[in-house]
Amino acid sequence: MVGLGAVPVLAGGRRGGSAAEVTVTMRALYGQQNSPGEEITFVFQERLLSEIKLEKELLPVGREISGVVLEVGRKVTFFQPDDEVVGILPLDSEESGLCEVILVHEHYLVRKPEKVCWVEAAGTVRDGVRAYTALHYLSQVSPGKTVLVMDGASPFGTIAIQLAQHRGAKVISTAYSLEDKQYLERLRPPVEGIRQPLVARVIDVSNGKIDVAESCLEETGGLGVDIVLDAGVKLYSAEDESTSKSQLLPHKHDIITLLGVGGHWITTEKNLQLDPPDSHSLFLKGATVSFLNDEIWNLSNVQQGKYLSILEDIMKKLSSSIFRPQLDEPIPLYEAKVSMEIVQKNQARKRQVIQF
């Protein structure tokens, strides 16, 4: 579930440095889940900005934010009032990003370039972090590598394709519909006069008749791909899969088959199970499997410098049009509940951005 906000922020300093006390009542959107497994509903809550304790069943939403710094704490060193910033609230934040004013530590923010609009900044930062995590840290994308991006027409897939191609890799992608296929075939580099598509081959799996592994091996002359970035995998046999989208996902055996020697499989499937024959096949290829969890950057202070460098580089690529995100039209706050419900049901094909 992802919600995005574009909001003013108060920057808190390190080691207890804080912004000035504010007593104005603010309206913010939260998720509410009364029991485990129950569907999350969304509610607006009135609160004081200085309040920090939430009712246990309330979940902050909209962690990707951009806005203007209003005030700073005594120990803040990175920012001043009126700075334009963008960032991601940490997992343990009790602040909802879908609020007019929030408190946030300076170590979770970077400056927003003047050329980048608020909506693009908030709408791209999460997918940018995921793409960098997958292609730079879990694998090493470089010129000459072949990268398979599953569901490339998704917001995350689009940014991953643009980053891989910018680094000189050859990109193959799957499409879940004719509309997705046409979108991927139209993607071009930001340089004027270059008509070569970003995606070397688009594999349309919408009819269920195309063999992804066979197509990739054909495209690579039988060598296989160097990096696979999946959008989920089929864990069981076809009759056990319930949803129509899961029918379009590749089986884990297909991904192992299409991997080249020394290849990297970056998976978003947190419940992935590998049987001994699967592990044996990966061993013979010297291939690796990594789990894509972009929250790791804020789990240790040791990673703070790398994390902020990633955020800054994402903004630079937005400013230079290397990243061109898939965004819906900005949504006003009063429609945020409906928007979050659509996102929760995975019915949104573009990023939803709440603008104040």
Side-chain angles (χ1 to χ4, degrees):
M1 180 179 62
V2 178
L4 304 168
V7 299
V9 297
L10 298 176
R14 64 186 73 167
R15 295 188 180 181
S18 62
E21 289 294 317
V22 178
T23 58
V24 177
T25 300
M26 308 302 297
R27 192 178 187 220
L29 185 70
Y30 290 89
Q32 189 169 32
Q33 188 175 36
N34 295 321
S35 60
E38 183 179 289
E39 186 174 291
I40 296 176
T41 58
F42 298 95
V43 294
F44 282 106
Q45 290 285 311
E46 301 287 343
R47 68 179 182 88
L48 299 180
L49 190 60
S50 56
E51 291 177 347
I52 58 172
K53 294 298 180 184
L54 291 176
E55 300 175 39
K56 289 185 177 179
E57 66 272 15
L58 293 181
L59 307 171
V61 296
R63 292 170 48 216
E64 298 83 9
I65 59 172
S66 62
V68 178
V69 176
L70 300 180
E71 298 180 28
V72 298
R74 297 189 310 276
K75 297 181 180 180
V76 171
T77 58
F78 293 169
F79 304 105
Q80 297 294 329
D82 298 325
D83 282 347
E84 298 181 349
V85 295
V86 59
I88 302 175
L89 298 178
L91 271 175
D92 60 354
S93 173
E94 296 188 339
E95 298 279 345
S96 170
L98 302 186
C99 186
E100 292 175 334
V101 180
I102 63 173
L103 290 165
V104 58
H105 198 286
E106 63 176 343
H107 287 171
Y108 300 116
L109 302 171
V110 296
R111 284 183 172 81
K112 179 187 76 66
E114 186 177 347
K115 289 176 61 177
V116 176
C117 71
W118 301 113
V119 173
E120 285 189 344
T124 309
V125 64
R126 169 71 67 184
D127 291 323
V129 170
R130 296 189 76 206
Y132 267 82
T133 304
L135 296 175
H136 279 282
Y137 294 95
L138 298 180
S139 62
Q140 288 75 45
V141 67
S142 59
K145 294 286 183 71
T146 302
V147 180
L148 171 62
V149 179
M150 301 289 191
D151 192 15
S154 66
F156 167 56
T158 297
I159 296 298
I161 287 172
Q162 292 165 354
L163 179 60
Q165 196 277 338
H166 177 68
R167 294 299 187 193
K170 175 182 179 180
V171 181
I172 305 170
S173 184
T174 60
Y176 288 165
S177 67
L178 178 60
E179 182 182 2
D180 287 353
K181 181 176 184 290
Q182 293 171 341
Y183 167 78
L184 290 170
E185 290 174 340
R186 290 195 302 267
L187 284 177
R188 295 290 187 275
V191 181
E192 291 186 12
I194 296 181
R195 301 302 302 162
Q196 182 179 357
L198 287 183
V199 183
R201 180 164 181 171
V202 179
I203 305 170
D204 185 356
V205 298
S206 59
N207 59 15
K209 297 179 181 179
I210 302 297
D211 188 312
V212 175
E214 183 179 315
S215 299
C216 289
L217 290 172
E218 178 186 318
E219 183 66 28
T220 59
L223 297 177
V225 303
D226 301 297
I227 301 170
V228 178
L229 181 51
D230 73 35
V233 295
K234 193 181 296 182
L235 299 177
Y236 311 104
S237 58
E239 57 268 20
D240 296 328
E241 300 288 349
S242 56
T243 64
S244 58
K245 183 176 179 181
S246 63
Q247 295 286 346
L248 302 177
L249 296 175
H251 196 280
K252 57 184 177 181
H253 301 313
D254 295 328
I255 294 182
I256 294 172
T257 299
L258 62 84
L259 266 179
V261 174
H264 301 278
W265 174 9
I266 314 301
T267 183
T268 59
E269 180 54 67
K270 61 182 178 182
N271 296 317
L272 179 68
Q273 299 178 24
L274 294 178
D275 301 319
D278 302 327
S279 298
H280 185 64
S281 296
L282 290 168
F283 168 77
L284 292 176
K285 292 185 176 187
T288 63
V289 178
S290 300
F291 291 87
L292 178 55
N293 176 10
D294 53 275
E295 302 290 358
I296 59 172
W297 296 106
N298 289 319
L299 298 181
S300 170
N301 290 335
V302 174
Q303 304 291 341
Q304 194 68 40
K306 287 183 180 179
Y307 176 63
L308 293 179
S309 294
I310 291 172
L311 295 186
E312 290 173 348
D313 206 43
I314 292 167
M315 291 301 110
K316 289 178 182 177
K317 285 181 170 50
L318 260 181
S319 181
S320 60
S321 298
I322 292 170
F323 285 165
R324 286 152 290 150
Q326 278 225 72
L327 305 176
D328 257 339
E329 291 297 318
I331 299 166
L333 182 60
Y334 64 83
E335 293 182 3
K337 283 179 62 175
V338 175
S339 175
M340 289 303 296
E341 288 166 359
I342 292 173
V343 170
Q344 182 179 228
K345 295 175 182 177
N346 293 321
Q347 295 176 345
R349 285 297 284 170
K350 295 183 179 181
R351 283 285 175 251
Q352 310 287 298
V353 182
I354 311 302
Q355 188 172 35
F356 298 86

